[in-house]
Amino acid sequence: MTPIEFLGLYPFQWLAIITAGTAFFLMIDALVGHYRRAFAYRMQYAPVVTGTALVVAALLAAGFPDLPLLNQLLSWAGWLAAATGLVGFAYHFYYGIVTKPGGLKWILHYLMYGAPIFAPLGLTAAGVLGIITAHGLAGEHAVFGLVMPIALFLFVAIALAGAIAQAGILHYRGAFNNPAMYAPLTVPSLAMIAGVWMALAPSTVARAAFAVLLWMTLLVGFIGFGMHLRGLDREMGGLYLWHVNLLEGPPQGAPGLFIAWAAIGLVGMYLL
Amino acid sequence: MTQQDQNMSSWSLTAPGIHGEPVPMRDWSREEVDVCVVGAGAGGGVVGAKLAEAGFSVVILDAGPHWDPMNDFISDEHASSKLYWTDERITGGDNPVELGTNNSGRGVGGSTVHYSMIALRAHPDHFRRRTIEGAVENTDHRDWPLAFDDLEPYYEEVEEALQIAGPTFYPWGKPRRRRYPQREHELSASANVLVRGCAKLGIPVAPSPIATLSAPHEDRPPCVYRGFCNFGCTTNAKSSILVTYIPRAIRAGAEVRGNAMVARITHDSRGRATGVLHFRKGSDELFQQRAKSVIVAGYAIESPRLLLNSSSSLFPQGLANSSGIVGKYFMVQSSEQVFAKFPERINQYKAPPPGGAITEHFNRTMPGVGFVGGYTIEVIGPHPVDFVAKMAAGRGLWGAELRREMFDYNHFSALGMVGTVMPNRKNEVKLHETERDRYGLPVPHVIFSYHENDKRLIKHSIAKMKEIFEAAGGTDVWSDHRTSHLLGCCRMGDDPADSVVNADCRAHDVPNLFICDGSVFPNSTGVNPSLTIQALAARTADRITDMARRGELW
Amino acid sequence: MRSTQEQNDEFRSPYPRYNVLDKWLSPDWDDQTREVVRRRLEKVPPIRFFSEKEAQTLAAVAERIIPQPERKEGEKIPIVPWIDEKLYEDTRDGYRYEKLPPQRQAWQQGLAGIDETAGMLFKGRRFVDLDAESQDEVLKRVQKGDPPGEIWKQLPSRSFFEHILLKIVVKTYYMHPLAWNEIGYNGPSSPRGHVRIWENGLDPWEAQEEARRR
């Protein structure tokens, strides 16, 4: 396994950049969503802080891959973000569903309108990615007892599952008013399956299928950006009332997750 | 209708589109149309649009203007009274009904322009209340001549057309075959109060299905929670008839003629309707619209009034009134409102008034309560002008005390109910003996008194709503009397001696006359009637299409 | 007589710094709504229907039904002109209780009735010449349905008070932006709506409550 350089950067540098990008989009989403709730709990600042820390640490680690201190910093930031995500998940479940009027009996309502239940796990995923990246930058070939590409493929599969679940809930809330809203449920689901396949029983067929599906997932993400912007414009007042429609319309950063998770798979596949 | 007929009319008119743009419209004023619909609201809009789409030539008349939602609707309570039917009506009986606001509309779209959008299906039992409940002294409630199953496909059709936003699982009524087209809305503060109170008391409560978009649909954006739904929607998120069926009707070649107050229905010597005579704004002259059939959809006061005003030597008691019961069995729905104060900011001016939660737990005949029928508990969200009138009337409050109490406006939450009312022959709409309106037509005289059963139901509902508020932590609980919806007066049935129309909404006496609105209800249901009126209209359109194609109509 | 300070405190709004008109140019106000409210603020109609005496009586009655002692004459929310305009144009409400005459007649009789009752209870004095407590007593008798006077034999006083006088006076007061300010009402909202629709949820442009009583 020889790392392949791409556009002058080594694969784990790319992963560090992807980590930063993911954390950035998640942080923006948390900022917007928590602002919508007027930062009613102090904990709502946590993902903004740890997300920003992860962005900075990942960019530094990408820029100076040979500095062990920065590598260590990325690892710490990764653990911090991962922990924040887990706590956030508990908070989203408890304050976003359990303690709401009607509580768990209204779970279907609060999955749609309470705090987005899987969103904090996105931050956890970004954190884990940071940790994996830190190990990779340190020249290790395995992480959590798995060889690098396998670890990445499994990571992609799990991360995609979360993104698909959250997109599924919110697109259901939007009544799939545009058929394109099914795209992030179908293509990435297949990519997820192919990812597990590649991790457990790699073969040429699995590799080809996974590659195609990852590229398609990447495309879904890019198209998603455009569609979400269009969705914002379809709200009352459109871009003129962007300051409310940013809060009420489709989450503008969310499709970025599909791009990030797919890109990780592609890095694992082509560069490692 | 032949192709030649189609060619006779031209697309020379324009109507206001829903985005403020003029849209071309046919001019049928000089032709004999297949169908002339009187009233462009929940009943008339649906039946007119569907018949136009089926290929018939259609004119839909409304006494009020053709609203331009982008420019005519005002974000202000007082200025929105133009949406109501404010011509004088005389109201009497033991419990005179307040008219002219929530229960009336004037203008294309009818009262759906300002209704609260609660889109509930009646329950199968509501169509067979007499069978289930038995006879009740001093009332004459009947089974409907059609069953829930006859309407079910039409409920589905209308829900799809209006893109009703409702819960994934709705716990009351017959289980749904298809999911609501859109998802429920987020709960408002007032709805949270209802959910909290019900949860504490163990009363089942669910998201409420309402006719407001929760996601974009075609060229209409989702609701932005302005909270001015009762004063006309300026964003088109609200699925009123004005922005749903009316554009369809116009596209399909119907003419929708606003400011056209129909004075009478004309007929020939055989007793078949031949069209209508109507006034146009700014003219004392009567215009004639010739038609092969007439559909009356003016709601439970104007529909019977029009039939009674159309009396002739052939129909001395009024058109379609050989039974003598046109105007009889007038019903409202009891709509008591309860208010309570909370430490939290509720801000009841925000979000659609129905808030997003509802309980139909009491919408059934309950054992041991001393009354038959039931009611639905809903959330309401009055703005200050409406609210202060309720507070002044409900608590007899005025002076410094009233003004100070109003400082807490943002801390009040409100619940309302919609309850069944027993049909009673003594409750009626008749023509006033002396009073005339601006057109010189006799004004309606509305007589209404609650039955003992209704009073017991009301008492029960107020107690329940107060319990819910107290369980949710409300204080200073008070209530105000109110009614909503107008039903009856042209009830449907199989027996021509005892009803005005049959199950197809076709008049027993005049074969090419139909009545298609809340006035055909033989009894009331425990839910808001708009969806049932629309489903009935959708079914009637299909029945008319069938009959016309078989050559049974003209 | 209480001091002005006491009166000001009595009607101290929990939203002292909120002014709905600050949002005039915001996306909460569309053109047609601005036009309606502009007229309400700037084009208060002249008295054309009521006689001078009727207008004086109604002004005094309105001041008891919805008192504005802390506002100087000329700064009060106008009530009489709008009711006068409604009657001058004879804009109806869509219904009339069968026991009540048409609205113009009802208002004229009702105001004359209030003066008549005032005279019978307080030695021939007119309503406007009574002190606040006596005025309240007159109105309470009308509200209860047992006021002395010939006019009330034709016009049911309770019905007039409840269904016409009280309702229309208070509705007229609360259609004015000054009244919206004191109760923290968001006012017009088109095309911009609301995001934070839950309990205690406030969008940045909504009224902030400062001193909540009790």
Side-chain angles (χ1 to χ4, degrees):
Chain A
M1 198 168 62
T2 353
I4 302 160
E5 205 178 315
F6 177 67
L7 295 178
L9 293 176
Y10 286 106
F12 285 103
Q13 281 177 293
W14 279 112
L15 284 188
I17 289 169
I18 294 169
T19 305
T22 316
F24 179 74
F25 279 125
L26 286 163
M27 192 265 290
I28 293 291
D29 240 21
L31 196 64
V32 170
H34 290 175
Y35 170 75
R36 184 174 182 273
R37 280 276 157 179
F39 288 100
Y41 304 95
R42 203 168 296 167
M43 268 303 276
Q44 290 182 311
Y45 290 102
V48 182
V49 175
T50 59
T52 309
L54 185 57
V55 173
V56 173
L59 286 179
L60 286 174
F64 309 96
D66 300 328
L67 289 181
L69 179 67
L70 291 181
N71 193 324
Q72 189 60 49
L73 196 66
L74 175 58
S75 190
W76 287 340
W79 281 109
L80 191 63
T84 311
L86 287 175
V87 173
F89 177 72
Y91 264 70
H92 277 208
F93 181 70
Y94 186 71
Y95 291 108
I97 300 176
V98 178
T99 60
K100 289 267 169 150
L104 282 168
K105 273 191 186 161
W106 278 62
I107 189 163
L108 279 177
H109 181 80
Y110 294 121
L111 281 176
M112 293 191 283
Y113 291 109
I117 190 76
F118 294 113
L121 294 182
L123 191 59
T124 301
V128 170
L129 182 62
I131 299 163
I132 296 174
T133 306
H135 282 276
L137 285 171
E140 295 171 29
H141 295 294
V143 64
F144 306 130
L146 296 164
V147 292
M148 262 314 166
I150 305 281
L152 284 180
F153 295 154
L154 278 179
F155 171 85
V156 168
I158 294 167
L160 275 177
I164 293 162
Q166 192 59 57
I169 290 168
L170 292 179
H171 285 190
Y172 176 71
R173 175 175 113 183
F176 295 99
N177 67 76
N178 188 316
M181 291 166 80
Y182 286 105
L185 309 193
T186 47
V187 174
S189 297
L190 296 175
M192 185 182 81
I193 294 165
V196 176
W197 185 14
M198 261 302 278
L200 301 182
S203 69
T204 337
V205 184
R207 193 183 162 83
F210 192 35
V212 169
L213 287 164
L214 283 176
W215 282 111
M216 284 172 68
T217 301
L218 198 77
L219 192 65
V220 164
F222 279 111
I223 293 172
F225 273 131
M227 297 301 284
H228 277 210
L229 197 61
R230 179 162 176 272
L232 192 148
D233 196 40
R234 285 181 80 189
E235 297 276 319
M236 184 62 203
L239 297 171
Y240 162 65
L241 290 181
W242 64 271
H243 63 287
V244 277
N245 290 338
L246 203 60
L247 307 179
E248 293 294 81
Q252 293 302 311
L257 279 189
F258 289 98
I259 297 175
W261 303 151
I264 293 159
L266 291 170
V267 169
M269 184 164 290
Y270 291 119
L271 304 184
L272 281 177
Chain B
M1 180 181 53
T2 63
Q3 194 55 45
Q4 204 184 349
D5 290 338
Q6 276 280 13
N7 293 341
M8 284 166 71
S9 82
S10 70
W11 292 79
S12 58
L13 300 174
T14 54
I18 70 170
H19 301 291
E21 79 295 6
V23 295
M25 182 168 73
R26 269 185 197 276
D27 179 359
W28 288 108
S29 58
R30 283 174 294 274
E31 325 292 333
E32 181 186 35
V33 289
D34 295 329
V35 185
C36 173
V37 184
V38 182
V46 174
V47 74
K50 282 196 71 177
L51 289 173
E53 286 174 341
F56 299 108
S57 52
V58 175
V59 166
I60 307 175
L61 306 173
D62 200 279
H66 194 143
W67 303 116
D68 165 359
M70 290 296 106
N71 296 297
D72 290 344
F73 296 158
I74 314 288
S75 204
D76 179 85
E77 279 182 275
H78 180 72
S80 301
S81 55
K82 65 180 181 185
L83 305 178
Y84 305 134
W85 191 284
T86 52
D87 284 3
E88 195 114 291
R89 289 156 165 176
I90 312 299
T91 182
D94 296 341
N95 308 92
V97 179
E98 275 192 27
L99 302 161
T101 54
N102 66 312
N103 52 17
S104 76
R106 188 192 186 91
V108 174
S111 53
T112 69
V113 163
H114 60 75
Y115 75 157
S116 286
M117 310 163 294
I118 299 174
L120 300 175
R121 298 175 172 191
H123 299 186
D125 285 357
H126 288 145
F127 296 88
R128 7 191 326 264
R129 284 189 57 192
R130 179 59 177 261
T131 306
I132 289 169
E133 293 161 8
V136 175
E137 213 184 331
N138 291 329
T139 83
D140 186 19
H141 66 318
R142 294 293 161 105
D143 289 352
W144 292 48
L146 42 73
F148 177 86
D149 290 348
D150 296 317
L151 277 188
E152 189 173 19
Y154 295 100
Y155 275 127
E156 286 171 355
E157 177 185 320
V158 170
E159 284 167 347
E160 193 62 35
L162 302 183
Q163 289 287 302
I164 304 297
T168 306
F169 302 105
Y170 189 69
W172 299 286
K174 189 181 167 196
R176 302 175 57 81
R177 301 189 295 199
R178 272 157 59 181
R179 209 167 48 209
Y180 281 108
Q182 291 202 339
R183 302 293 80 75
E184 72 224 42
H185 287 266
E186 183 167 16
L187 294 178
S188 72
S190 308
N192 275 336
V193 168
L194 174 65
V195 175
R196 240 167 42 205
C198 285
K200 202 154 179 197
L201 297 172
I203 297 169
V205 57
S208 68
I210 61 173
T212 304
L213 300 183
S214 64
H217 178 66
E218 291 170 356
D219 51 359
R220 296 163 46 210
C223 179
V224 295
Y225 306 124
R226 295 172 53 232
F228 279 82
C229 317
N230 295 142
F231 312 105
C233 180
T234 57
T235 72
N236 289 331
K238 175 181 190 168
S239 295
S240 67
I241 291 296
L242 176 67
V243 305
T244 53
Y245 280 93
I246 292 296
R248 274 171 60 176
I250 293 172
R251 264 198 307 276
E255 180 191 339
V256 179
R257 196 179 300 157
N259 293 316
M261 172 69 188
V262 176
R264 60 184 295 131
I265 298 165
T266 54
H267 62 79
D268 62 16
S269 56
R270 293 178 303 151
R272 292 176 67 94
T274 53
V276 303
L277 292 173
H278 70 83
F279 292 98
R280 300 201 78 163
K281 196 181 182 182
S283 164
D284 294 336
E285 208 183 319
L286 272 175
F287 289 79
Q288 188 180 26
Q289 176 63 54
R290 288 175 295 129
K292 292 181 187 148
S293 63
V294 173
I295 301 176
V296 179
Y299 216 12
I301 292 178
E302 291 307 312
S303 287
R305 179 189 182 205
L306 176 58
L307 297 180
L308 295 174
N309 271 336
S310 302
S311 61
S312 64
S313 52
L314 202 57
F315 298 106
Q317 300 194 81
L319 202 60
N321 193 21
S322 67
S323 61
I325 66 162
V326 167
K328 313 284 186 200
Y329 301 104
F330 169 71
M331 290 173 280
V332 293
Q333 287 185 298
S334 49
S335 184
E336 303 295 307
Q337 300 183 332
V338 176
F339 302 81
K341 203 186 280 184
F342 289 83
E344 306 92 341
R345 281 280 291 269
I346 301 292
N347 303 327
Q348 40 181 343
Y349 51 79
K350 291 196 260 196
I358 198 164
T359 175
E360 282 199 59
H361 184 60
F362 304 104
N363 189 13
R364 59 201 158 101
T365 290
M366 294 165 274
V369 291
F371 60 87
V372 299
Y375 56 88
T376 300
I377 296 179
E378 301 163 355
V379 173
I380 54 169
H383 286 245
V385 171
D386 189 18
F387 182 79
V388 73
K390 290 174 201 301
M391 191 143 82
R395 297 168 70 178
L397 212 57
W398 50 275
E401 210 184 333
L402 173 71
R403 205 177 144 205
R404 281 200 308 266
E405 193 67 5
M406 278 298 285
F407 287 156
D408 282 337
Y409 166 72
N410 284 335
H411 289 271
F412 279 101
S413 190
L415 293 176
M417 53 78 92
V418 169
T420 55
V421 159
M422 301 307 278
N424 190 332
R425 198 181 169 103
K426 285 187 205 142
N427 291 335
E428 62 173 327
V429 173
K430 55 187 181 184
L431 300 179
H432 197 273
E433 281 158 17
T434 51
E435 298 268 343
R436 297 292 176 269
D437 70 4
R438 54 178 146 155
Y439 307 104
L441 303 170
V443 307
H445 189 172
V446 182
I447 309 290
F448 183 77
S449 310
Y450 277 125
H451 185 266
E452 272 313 306
N453 187 79
D454 305 333
K455 291 180 188 165
R456 287 194 284 265
L457 182 146
I458 285 171
K459 212 174 145 197
H460 189 269
S461 73
I462 292 177
K464 285 293 165 198
M465 288 190 282
K466 286 186 171 170
E467 260 179 62
I468 291 171
F469 267 151
E470 275 153 17
T475 53
D476 297 22
V477 186
W478 50 279
S479 65
D480 185 31
H481 299 299
R482 187 169 169 272
T483 66
S484 52
H485 314 133
L486 307 171
L487 305 168
C489 294
C490 300
R491 74 175 178 191
M492 57 160 62
D494 296 324
D495 181 1
D498 186 45
S499 57
V500 180
V501 297
N502 66 16
D504 295 337
C505 295
R506 186 182 193 180
H508 293 302
D509 299 349
V510 185
N512 64 340
L513 176 71
F514 293 80
I515 299 166
C516 205
D517 57 26
S519 59
V520 302
F521 281 36
N523 64 35
S524 61
T525 67
V527 299
N528 309 53
S530 65
L531 198 71
T532 304
I533 294 172
Q534 289 159 344
L536 259 181
R539 180 177 184 274
T540 303
D542 279 6
R543 300 294 300 127
I544 290 174
T545 306
D546 286 352
M547 286 185 266
R549 294 214 169 118
R550 287 201 303 265
E552 291 170 23
L553 274 184
W554 54 74
Chain C
M1 203 55 201
R2 288 164 313 155
S3 70
T4 321
Q5 186 55 45
E6 270 175 314
Q7 286 173 346
N8 285 349
D9 284 353
E10 187 175 12
F11 296 115
R12 191 178 152 74
S13 157
Y15 308 90
R17 280 189 288 184
Y18 173 66
N19 184 0
V20 68
L21 295 176
D22 290 346
K23 295 186 275 192
W24 186 267
L25 294 174
S26 79
D28 283 333
W29 290 62
D30 54 26
D31 290 343
Q32 57 267 39
T33 305
R34 273 194 280 262
E35 223 23 70
V36 162
V37 179
R38 188 198 304 278
R39 176 166 183 268
R40 202 168 290 164
L41 290 168
E42 296 172 3
K43 301 245 164 67
V44 179
I47 304 296
R48 288 166 293 179
F49 173 76
F50 287 127
S51 68
E52 204 186 322
K53 199 175 151 193
E54 286 164 346
Q56 284 169 354
T57 305
L58 180 54
V61 169
E63 182 61 24
R64 292 321 301 153
I65 287 180
I66 193 89
Q68 315 179 44
E70 84 287 11
R71 296 191 180 111
K72 286 196 270 296
E73 211 54 54
E75 287 172 10
K76 288 181 195 282
I77 293 178
I79 309 262
V80 183
W82 297 112
I83 298 177
D84 182 85
E85 184 187 65
K86 173 176 160 58
L87 296 173
Y88 178 75
E89 290 170 359
D90 206 12
T91 315
R92 305 285 177 106
D93 303 309
Y95 66 103
R96 187 179 106 213
Y97 288 87
E98 61 186 4
K99 295 196 181 80
L100 289 171
Q103 60 170 0
R104 289 179 163 181
Q105 198 185 332
W107 277 97
Q108 283 174 325
Q109 281 186 338
L111 292 173
I114 286 170
D115 260 338
E116 191 190 8
T117 303
M120 291 181 75
L121 290 176
F122 299 100
K123 301 176 201 153
R125 287 158 73 189
R126 280 187 59 200
F127 185 84
V128 287
D129 299 328
L130 301 179
D131 61 33
E133 265 169 62
S134 310
Q135 287 180 331
D136 282 358
E137 195 184 326
V138 172
L139 292 177
K140 275 178 193 154
R141 294 288 293 269
V142 176
Q143 181 182 23
K144 272 202 317 207
D146 65 344
E150 280 306 302
I151 292 169
W152 299 118
K153 286 176 184 157
Q154 297 153 37
L155 182 75
S157 78
R158 204 173 140 175
S159 196
F160 168 74
F161 187 88
E162 233 177 71
H163 300 307
I164 299 182
L165 179 67
L166 176 58
K167 213 171 238 185
I168 291 182
V169 167
V170 297
K171 281 180 155 193
T172 307
Y173 181 85
Y174 284 100
M175 73 182 196
H176 196 279
L178 278 180
W180 300 345
N181 287 347
E182 70 184 27
I183 62 171
Y185 173 56
N186 185 66
S189 187
S190 171
R192 181 168 67 183
H194 290 283
V195 175
R196 299 170 183 157
I197 58 174
W198 44 86
E199 289 117 305
N200 290 331
L202 283 187
D203 289 317
W205 54 88
E206 292 186 74
Q208 290 285 346
E209 195 167 6
E210 290 183 10
R212 183 153 152 73
R213 301 165 310 109
R214 274 168 297 188

